[in-house]
Amino acid sequence: MNHFITLKDISATDLRKIVNDAKKRKDKRKEFSTLDIDKDNPLKGKLLIQMFEKSSLRTRLSFYLAIKQLGGGTITLRTNELHLGKGGESLADTARILSTYGDGFMLRTDSDKKIEEFSKHLTIPVINGLSPSSHPTQVLSDVFTVEEIKKKPISKLNICWIGDSNNVLNSLIAASVKFSFKLSIGCPKNYEPKKFVLDWVKKNKRKIHIYDDAKKAAMNADIIFSDKVISLNDKVDKIKKIKDFKNFQINSKIMSFAKKDVTFLHCLPRGTEVSSEVFLGRKSKVWLQALNRVHVQKSILLYCFGKLR
């Protein structure tokens, strides 16, 4: 049994195994319909319990399809339907019940502490479907997508992020250490990644490049990533933040500083951080990126259940 909470805690070897397994599984799905079960039926009879404290579209759908295609099933819980919190049942007791009924637990949460607490009391694997400090399932899937598009290891590519320093970027930074790729970040001053993230990079003897100029960050990039600058639960002065990011919108001019065959990726939902021309243009592969979540989540589930070969 393995938890999947943050990319920082998982070895580079295991992360590479997950990505390689996803490649093989995706290749074998070409003749299959959406709900057809993989021939090896590796998670037959297994139940994944999903709990969402935050809105979700891609994570919810992709985990539903991932466990189904592996031969298992899923049930989705909302926190307001449980005794957890308002009903007075402790998190430890909830974890014990989940462990009794299910085989795996996927949590999308507004609290890093909560996912850590669950991991202490669960006797089944826990998967982080998103937390305030990281989004590991998204970013590992993005590594898979990059390699599929560029047909080479991500370690040989220049990766660029333009936008806010958020949980997705934290996971991309962790991936840059684990997969050894060059990462350039473009963001306004005062929006750089947090010190604990940068300290971890330094401790692992790697370097990332941070610019307060989007053009410099995009220079010679193979891939340009972004994410919504104003997220749903952002407790900030939104007007000021939008103003601070006005020179960081990814448009055709910014894209022109990257390589000619640059690819644009975005984990969705989108906002004003990217022009429609780029987002819907031929260099954008956002729909493939979203679909690939299913394939990588299947391999993450196999890793968590100790079935990854």
Side-chain angles (χ1 to χ4, degrees), residues 43-60:
L43 296 185
K44 185 182 179 184
K46 300 287 186 188
L47 175 66
L48 176 71
I49 300 170
Q50 301 190 79
M51 191 166 91
F52 295 92
E53 293 183 323
K54 300 189 81 169
S55 304
S56 174
L57 174 62
R58 284 149 293 276
T59 301
R60 185 188 303 261

Side-chain angles (χ1 to χ4, degrees), residues 90-123:
S90 72
L91 189 146
D93 287 357
T94 301
R96 290 182 187 104
I97 292 295
L98 293 172
S99 301
T100 306
Y101 279 87
D103 301 289
F105 180 52
M106 196 288 295
L107 176 63
R108 188 174 174 95
T109 181
D110 52 13
S111 162
D112 288 298
K113 191 167 181 287
K114 196 174 284 180
I115 205 161
E116 280 168 34
E117 279 298 301
F118 265 118
S119 71
K120 286 176 195 165
H121 299 288
L122 286 163
T123 55

Side-chain angles (χ1 to χ4, degrees), residues 248-284:
F248 289 81
Q249 189 198 51
I250 300 162
N251 50 34
S252 299
K253 188 176 181 187
I254 297 291
M255 294 288 278
S256 72
F257 286 87
K259 288 184 181 170
K260 278 189 178 169
D261 66 344
V262 65
T263 299
F264 174 75
L265 295 175
H266 192 298
C267 60
L268 301 169
R270 64 168 157 147
T272 55
E273 67 287 328
V274 56
S275 70
S276 286
E277 187 187 3
V278 169
F279 186 86
L280 300 171
R282 60 186 179 80
K283 291 183 174 178
S284 171

Side-chain angles (χ1 to χ4, degrees), residues 65-79:
L65 287 177
I67 190 79
K68 287 271 187 185
Q69 290 179 8
L70 293 170
T74 182
I75 184 169
T76 298
L77 305 174
R78 291 194 192 93
T79 42

Side-chain angles (χ1 to χ4, degrees), residues 86-301:
K86 286 179 186 171
E89 186 159 60
S90 72
L91 189 146
D93 287 357
T94 301
R96 290 182 187 104
I97 292 295
L98 293 172
S99 301
T100 306
Y101 279 87
D103 301 289
F105 180 52
M106 196 288 295
L107 176 63
R108 188 174 174 95
T109 181
D110 52 13
S111 162
D112 288 298
K113 191 167 181 287
K114 196 174 284 180
I115 205 161
E116 280 168 34
E117 279 298 301
F118 265 118
S119 71
K120 286 176 195 165
H121 299 288
L122 286 163
T123 55
I124 56 175
V126 60
I127 299 169
N128 179 0
L130 177 142
S131 69
S133 72
S134 69
H135 198 353
T137 62
Q138 173 69 56
V139 167
L140 194 59
S141 176
D142 290 343
V143 170
F144 172 91
T145 301
V146 166
E147 294 191 343
E148 181 181 49
I149 293 164
K150 297 300 182 185
K151 296 181 170 45
K152 58 174 77 169
I154 196 169
S155 58
K156 298 190 185 314
L157 299 168
N158 293 336
I159 309 298
C160 166
W161 171 279
I162 296 173
D164 198 10
S165 295
N166 61 10
N167 49 3
V168 182
L169 177 58
N170 288 347
S171 289
L172 189 64
I173 290 169
S176 78
V177 171
K178 297 290 180 172
F179 289 92
S180 303
F181 58 80
K182 185 188 172 193
L183 177 61
S184 300
I185 297 164
C187 61
K189 279 179 181 163
N190 302 323
Y191 290 94
E192 293 97 348
K194 292 200 163 56
K195 187 177 181 295
F196 77 90
V197 177
L198 300 177
D199 286 347
W200 181 83
V201 173
K202 210 177 283 180
K203 190 178 143 196
N204 283 273
K205 299 180 173 53
R206 295 285 305 172
K207 191 180 177 189
I208 54 173
H209 309 270
I210 302 171
Y211 305 93
D212 61 358
D213 182 331
K215 298 186 213 61
K216 284 182 184 169
M219 196 75 71
N220 211 29
D222 293 287
I223 304 282
I224 294 180
F225 278 101
S226 192
D227 190 9
K228 211 169 182 184
V229 166
I230 303 288
S231 67
L232 195 63
N233 301 307
D234 237 350
K235 293 176 177 67
V236 294
D237 181 339
K238 292 177 185 175
I239 294 164
K240 181 185 184 300
K241 193 174 184 185
I242 288 168
K243 193 178 165 192
D244 290 344
F245 275 89
K246 79 175 189 320
N247 295 326
F248 289 81
Q249 189 198 51
I250 300 162
N251 50 34
S252 299
K253 188 176 181 187
I254 297 291
M255 294 288 278
S256 72
F257 286 87
K259 288 184 181 170
K260 278 189 178 169
D261 66 344
V262 65
T263 299
F264 174 75
L265 295 175
H266 192 298
C267 60
L268 301 169
R270 64 168 157 147
T272 55
E273 67 287 328
V274 56
S275 70
S276 286
E277 187 187 3
V278 169
F279 186 86
L280 300 171
R282 60 186 179 80
K283 291 183 174 178
S284 171
K285 298 290 181 195
V286 295
W287 312 122
L288 172 68
Q289 179 187 7
L291 180 63
N292 278 342
R293 295 285 303 279
V294 177
H295 302 293
V296 176
Q297 257 126 235
K298 284 165 75 173
S299 301
I300 289 169
L301 285 165

